[in-house]
Amino acid sequence: MTTTPWYARTATTVGRPAVLTATLIMSMPGEYKVAKLAGWSDPWAYGMPFALSAYAGIAAVVTATRPKGARGRISAQLGAAFAIILALAAQVVAHLVQTGHMNGNQAWLIAITSMVPPAVLAHLLHLAATPTPVNAPSTSVDAPVVERVVAPVEPRAAVVPPPPTEPPAIEQPVEPPAPIRYRDPRCATIRPLYDGGARPGTAAMRDALIAAGHGRVGDSTIRGVLRAEVEEHEPHLAALPPALGRTA
C-alpha cells in the first residue's frame, strides 16, 4: 500500500482552503463591478459576490452529495452549471468594461444582472425543500442468504455461593448530653424562650420569671446575670435575631 508523503498531504489540506479563499477574493471585484453597472448602489452591490460565489459552491456540493437518480440532483447540476456560467460571465463582462472593450450601459446586461438575486434565492429554496433520500436496505432476491449456525452450549460451571457476610455491627445508642447546671436556677425559666429561634427581650423574660413564681426581677439582673449565664453555656444563642413583639 502506497502512503502519500506528509508534505503532499499538508499541501493538499492547506492548499484547498487557501485556493478557495484566493479565488473568492479575486472574483469579488468583478462581480461587484457588474452589480454597480446594473444600478445597485453601496452597500447593496457587495451582495453580488456572495450571491454568485456562495450559490455556485452550494449547488456544487448538493450535486456531489446527492446519489445518482435522486430527486433534486438534476436541478442541482443545472443550478451549479448556471452559477458557474454566471460567475464566469461576470468576470468577463467586468474586465471587458474595465478595459474599454464593452459598453456597460447595455440594457440586456442590466436586465440579466438584475435577475440574478431572485433566481438564486428561488433555486436555493428549491434545493432546501427537496428531501435527501435515505438508502434503504436492499430486498433483492439475489441477495446472499446467510444461514445462522447455533454454536453448542457448553455446560456452565457450578456457581459457588459467596461466603456469608458478618452481620452489621449494632450501633450503640448515643447518650444525650448532660443537662446544663446553672449557677442561678432562674436561668432554666429563661432558656425555653430561645426555642422559638429568636433572642428574647427583657419584657418577655420578666413575664416568664413572674409566671414561674420568681417575683419581679430587675432589668439589669435579667440581662446582665440571668441571660448572660444562659448564653455563656450556649454561645450560639447570643447570635439569634431579636424577638419581635413585646421585647422591652
Side-chain angles (χ1 to χ4, degrees):
M1 181 177 179
T2 304
T3 304
T4 306
W6 66 269
Y7 52 84
R9 297 195 303 270
T10 304
T12 303
T13 304
V14 178
R16 282 181 294 184
V19 172
L20 175 61
T21 304
T23 53
L24 290 176
I25 295 175
M26 293 177 66
S27 300
M28 289 179 66
E31 295 163 352
Y32 169 78
K33 180 68 175 179
V34 173
K36 293 287 288 185
L37 293 175
W40 275 291
S41 59
D42 292 334
W44 315 114
Y46 290 102
M48 186 62 71
F50 296 98
L52 288 176
S53 301
Y55 172 52
I58 293 173
V61 171
V62 173
T63 302
T65 54
R66 300 255 171 142
K68 186 177 181 179
R71 181 182 176 185
R73 178 180 171 85
I74 297 179
S75 175
Q77 290 176 338
L78 295 176
F82 177 67
I84 294 174
I85 293 174
L86 283 179
L88 293 175
Q91 302 302 318
V92 174
V93 170
H95 289 106
L96 288 176
V97 174
Q98 187 72 23
T99 55
H101 292 83
M102 182 178 178
N103 183 9
N105 296 327
Q106 299 181 21
W108 65 269
L109 174 61
I110 298 175
I112 294 177
T113 307
S114 301
M115 292 187 295
V116 169
V120 169
L121 175 63
H123 190 250
L124 286 180
L125 292 178
H126 169 70
L127 294 178
T130 304
T132 303
V134 180
N135 295 331
S138 176
T139 57
S140 174
V141 294
D142 298 333
V145 178
V146 180
E147 296 182 358
R148 182 180 179 183
V149 179
V150 180
V153 180
E154 298 181 357
R156 297 182 178 179
V159 179
V160 179
T165 57
E166 298 181 359
I170 300 176
E171 297 182 358
Q172 299 295 332
V174 180
E175 296 182 359
I180 300 175
R181 297 181 179 275
Y182 297 108
R183 295 185 297 274
D184 192 322
R186 292 177 295 182
C187 294
T189 303
I190 296 176
R191 177 58 182 84
L193 300 179
Y194 287 88
D195 294 339
R199 193 178 187 220
T202 305
M205 291 187 290
R206 184 190 307 113
D207 294 343
L209 291 171
I210 294 174
H214 295 292
R216 186 174 183 86
V217 183
D219 294 350
S220 59
T221 303
I222 293 175
R223 292 192 300 266
V225 178
L226 303 181
R227 184 166 67 182
E229 184 178 352
V230 171
E231 295 176 355
E232 176 186 348
H233 289 280
E234 299 176 83
H236 65 278
L237 299 178
L240 295 177
L244 301 177
R246 188 163 182 262
T247 58

